[in-house]
Each structure stands twice: as structure tokens, then as C-alpha cells.
């Protein structure tokens, strides 16, 4: 049998032969590359775990579910009172979702702080917790430590929420109160408080160290002392908050820096309290019913009208029912359309239509 050499083939046949050989060589590599590309996506497939006290879920303990869950997983908690200490750390992208703010309750057990997010030296990244309640234990409800991207939504906390060395904390639509000290405290942290009700604490919100915090459209009421206390080198933006019926409105100590616009400060001993070294920009704030609107610290404290915002206003806000804690604006409130704001304060006016 004679052997046919490639160079003896016609040119067209040789070209076809060459292309076939090339495909046979390249295809295994492409298959291998495709396998390598698919592997990461296969590795991030998330799981959903259910927690139920009656045994109908995967776990009866929230902590057991957290320990089992991988980053990116979701934990669903059915209604009930969970008497346990809960810690989330070394997780990324974990979501913990209760059946409802008043249906799922974490009561704590032994340690100080019922819910810990992050843990020295381990943090937690992009963790979301929503639709449940936390009862303080040892004076601390929620402690957030050494992490980033922590989001609490529709959480009711009896006690303090404390964050230390955490970046991008978000508290939204939460109800936080009855703390033995402060409602929400930031130490060397950054974050945003949006649409929360913070009530009946010694201080409503305390911002210290090198923290940088935005407070937007929160209602802070019935604080024994100031609704907002800033110390050290902290920075903050207070935009459209309602600070009503507190011992004081907002206090700026040490080298604190604040941009304060569109807020209502009402029925407090002092509206704004300034330390000489603090730096504030005030605009379109409404002050009403305070014993003193602008006061400089000292012995005794002295009026400080020069620290007032040129566009601040001083007339009654027209709340619906402040004695019942309803700080919505009446439809004819003078807080509507002041400056560039559709309304001042945290809550929009009620409709004038029946």
C-alpha cells in the first residue's frame, strides 16, 4: 500500500486537511477554557436556609443557620421569640430576613449585646438584616464591629445600636428606642441613617471620633439630652430631620463639622448648642418652642445668634398631633416649600383631601 504525503495532495485538499488539524488542536483548549470560565459562576450559587422554632425549617437556631451559611446565602426566619446570642462574622453578601418586624424577636441570652455583626478581628461585608426585632441584653441591642456595607432595614431595636470602625453602615426605616444610654452611636465609622424613628434615649444619635455620618429624614424625639451629639473630629450632614421634644436639638462639640439644612427643631431646652471650635453651616432650619435657639457652651452658656443660618426660620411647624407623637405636617403648615425643599422636617404634609 502506497503512502500519500500531504505535499503530494492538491492545494485545496491540503488546505482542508490543515484546517481540520487546526480545529482538532484548538477545540480541547477552548473546552478547557470554557470549563475554567464556568467554574467561578458555579462556585457562587447561593442557598436559602429556613429557621423555624417548630422544626419545619432547616434549623431551629438562627446562629446554627449563620454558621452553616456561605457568603451570598439567604436565611429566612419564621415568626417566634429566639432566646439566643447571634453573631455574624467572616461572611460576605449574607442576607438575614425575618417574617416581620414584630413577628421575629431576638431576645439574647448571656452576653452583652443580643446581635453582633462583625467580631474582632473578623469583620462582615455587605450583610443585610431586615424585618425583625432585637431586645437589648446588658444594655446593648446591636453591635457592629470592624466591617463594611452593613444594612439594617425595618429593624425594631430595644436598646442601643453601636458601630465601631465600620464603613458604610445603613439604617433605614428602623425603630430604635428605650436605650439606657444612646439610641445610635458611631465611633470612627461612616454611615447613613434614613427614615428612622429614634425615641426615648439619653441621646438620640451620638457621633464621635473620626466618624462621617449622614442623617436624613429621621424623627428623633423624647431624648433626655440632645437628639444629636457630635464630638471629636466627627463630620455629619443633617438633612430634613425632625428633632422634637428633646432635652436639646443638636450639639456640636470639639472640632465637629456639620452641614445642617431643612431640619425642624422644636420644643427643646436648646435648639443648637455650639462649642467654640466647632464648624457648622446652617440653612433653612425651622426653630420653634425652644428655650434657646442658638447657644454657645460655657459657664454659663450664652446666646450665639451669630451662629444662626441666615435662611433659618422661626415659626410653628404645624405638626398633626405632637402630643401623640405624630410629627407629620398639617396640609397648611408653614414648613411647606421653604427654600429649595418641598417641605422641612422628616415627614411630608398630610393630604388636604378627605
Amino acid at each position: 500500500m502506497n503512502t500519500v504525503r500531504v505535499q503530494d495532495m492538491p492545494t485545496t485538499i491540503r488546505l482542508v486537511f490543515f484546517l481540520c488539524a487546526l480545529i482538532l488542536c484548538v477545540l480541547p483548549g477552548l473546552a478547557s477554557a470554557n470549563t475554567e470560565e464556568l467554574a467561578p459562576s458555579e462556585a457562587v450559587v447561593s442557598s436559602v436556609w429556613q429557621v423555624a422554632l417548630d422544626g419545619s425549617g432547616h434549623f431551629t437556631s438562627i446562629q446554627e443557620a449563620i454558621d452553616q451559611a456561605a457568603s451570598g446565602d439567604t436565611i429566612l426566619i419564621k415568626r417566634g421569640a429566639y432566646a439566643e446570642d447571634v453573631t455574624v462574622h467572616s461572611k460576605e453578601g449574607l442576607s438575614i430576613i425575618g417574617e416581620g418586624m414584630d413577628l421575629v424577636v431576638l431576645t439574647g441570652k448571656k452576653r452583652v449585646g443580643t446581635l453582633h455583626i462583625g467580631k474582632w478581628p473578623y469583620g462582615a461585608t455587605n450583610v443585610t438584616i431586615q424585618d425583625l426585632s432585637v431586645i437589648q441584653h446588658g444594655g446593648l441591642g446591636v453591635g457592629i464591629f470592624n466591617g463594611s456595607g452593613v444594612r439594617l432595614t425595618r429593624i425594631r431595636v430595644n436598646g442601643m445600636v453601636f458601630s465601631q470602625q465600620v464603613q458604610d453602615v445603613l439604617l433605614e426605616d428602623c425603630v430604635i428606642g428605650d436605650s439606657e444610654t444612646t439610641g445610635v452611636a458611631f465611633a470612627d465609622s461612616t454611615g447613613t441613617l434614613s427614615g428612622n424613628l429614634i425615641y426615648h434615649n439619653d441621646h438620640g444619635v451620638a457621633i464621635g471620633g473620626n466618624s462621617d455620618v449622614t442623617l436624613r429624614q429621621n424623627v428623633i424625639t423624647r431624648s433626655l439630652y440632645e437628639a444629636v451629639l457630635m464630638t471629636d473630629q466627627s463630620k455629619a450632614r443633617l438633612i430634613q430631620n425632625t428633632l422634637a421634644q428633646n432635652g436639646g436639638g443638636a450639639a456640636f462639640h470639639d472640632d465637629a463639622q456639620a452641614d445642617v439644612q431643612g431640619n425642624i427643631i422644636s420644643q427643646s431646652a436648646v435648639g443648637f448648642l455650639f462649642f467654640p471650635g466647632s464648624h457648622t453651616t446652617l440653612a433653612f432650619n425651622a426653630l420653634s418652642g425652644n428655650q434657646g435657639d442658638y447657644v454657645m457652651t460655657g459657664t454659663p452658656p450664652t446666646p450665639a445668634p451669630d451662629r444662626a443660618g441666615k435662611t433659618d426660620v422661626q415659626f410653628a411647624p404645624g405638626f398633626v398631633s405632637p402630643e401623640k407623637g405624630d410629627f407629620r405636617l398639617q396640609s397648611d403648615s408653614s414648613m411647606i416649600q421653604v427654600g429649595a425643599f418641598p417641605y422641612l422636617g422628616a415627614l411630608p404634609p398630610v393630604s388636604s383631601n378627605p
Side-chain angles (χ1 to χ4, degrees):
M1 181 175 178
N2 296 328
T3 302
V4 179
R5 296 179 301 172
V6 173
Q7 51 265 45
D8 295 332
M9 298 180 182
T11 302
T12 303
I13 297 176
R14 277 187 288 164
L15 179 60
V16 171
F17 184 89
F18 174 78
L19 291 175
C20 291
L22 179 63
I23 291 171
L24 289 173
C25 292
V26 170
L27 277 178
L30 289 175
S32 175
N34 288 337
T35 302
E36 291 176 358
E37 290 176 0
L38 289 174
S41 63
E42 293 173 352
V44 298
V45 173
S46 58
S47 300
V48 177
W49 308 94
Q50 288 195 346
V51 180
L53 290 173
D54 62 5
S56 61
H58 299 96
F59 304 95
T60 58
S61 162
I62 298 172
Q63 189 62 57
E64 289 179 355
I66 292 171
D67 292 343
Q68 175 65 37
S71 294
D73 285 359
T74 298
I75 296 172
L76 303 178
I77 308 173
K78 292 188 176 182
R79 66 183 61 196
Y82 293 81
E84 55 179 303
D85 299 323
V86 177
T87 300
V88 182
H89 71 83
S90 305
K91 304 287 184 179
E92 181 174 357
L94 184 67
S95 296
I96 300 174
I97 303 172
E99 191 172 348
M101 179 188 286
D102 296 315
L103 298 178
V104 175
V105 182
L106 281 61
T107 63
K109 192 172 183 180
K110 295 181 179 180
R111 71 174 182 210
V112 173
T114 300
L115 172 61
H116 287 191
I117 305 167
K119 176 183 177 182
W120 299 111
Y122 312 104
T125 305
N126 298 331
V127 170
T128 297
I129 302 177
Q130 65 185 56
D131 298 312
L132 52 81
S133 290
V134 179
I135 306 297
Q136 66 181 346
H137 196 272
L140 177 63
V142 180
I144 311 173
F145 310 98
N146 194 32
S148 64
V150 175
R151 178 173 181 170
L152 303 182
T153 302
R154 295 184 300 277
I155 303 293
R156 185 188 301 279
V157 181
N158 164 252
M160 178 168 61
V161 177
F162 176 76
S163 63
Q164 183 174 24
Q165 295 186 2
V166 185
Q167 305 302 309
D168 298 325
V169 177
L170 174 61
L171 273 66
E172 57 181 355
D173 302 325
C174 296
V175 179
I176 302 168
D178 291 327
S179 169
E180 299 170 3
T181 52
T182 300
V184 182
F186 288 89
D188 296 321
S189 299
T190 65
T192 299
L193 275 65
S194 176
N196 303 287
L197 171 61
I198 302 172
Y199 71 97
H200 195 215
N201 306 287
D202 281 1
H203 289 95
V205 177
I207 306 170
N210 290 303
S211 295
D212 192 335
V213 179
T214 297
L215 281 72
R216 187 181 300 275
Q217 292 189 308
N218 303 280
V219 175
I220 307 178
T221 184
R222 296 165 52 204
S223 305
L224 181 61
Y225 304 110
E226 287 84 10
V228 179
L229 172 65
M230 295 184 62
T231 60
D232 305 316
Q233 295 79 42
S234 60
K235 299 178 182 179
R237 286 150 299 283
L238 279 64
I239 311 295
Q240 276 188 282
N241 300 279
T242 294
L243 315 180
Q245 301 175 355
N246 300 286
F252 311 102
H253 288 261
D254 304 319
D255 297 318
Q257 300 180 39
D259 181 14
V260 186
Q261 299 188 39
N263 304 277
I264 297 176
I265 301 90
S266 177
Q267 296 177 288
S268 299
V270 175
F272 293 119
L273 180 66
F274 306 95
F275 189 85
S278 63
H279 306 275
T280 56
T281 301
L282 277 63
F284 297 110
N285 300 289
L287 296 97
S288 173
N290 305 302
Q291 296 178 26
D293 289 331
Y294 308 94
V295 178
M296 185 70 66
T297 59
T299 307
T302 57
D306 58 308
R307 301 295 292 262
K310 295 181 179 179
T311 54
D312 287 354
V313 296
Q314 295 180 326
F315 37 69
F319 294 131
V320 170
S321 182
E323 65 279 1
K324 296 181 180 179
D326 188 344
F327 298 107
R328 293 175 300 167
L329 301 175
Q330 298 178 21
S331 59
D332 59 350
S333 169
S334 54
M335 301 293 99
I336 299 172
Q337 293 182 343
V338 178
F341 294 97
Y343 57 88
L344 302 188
L347 303 177
V350 296
S351 173
S352 59
N353 299 321

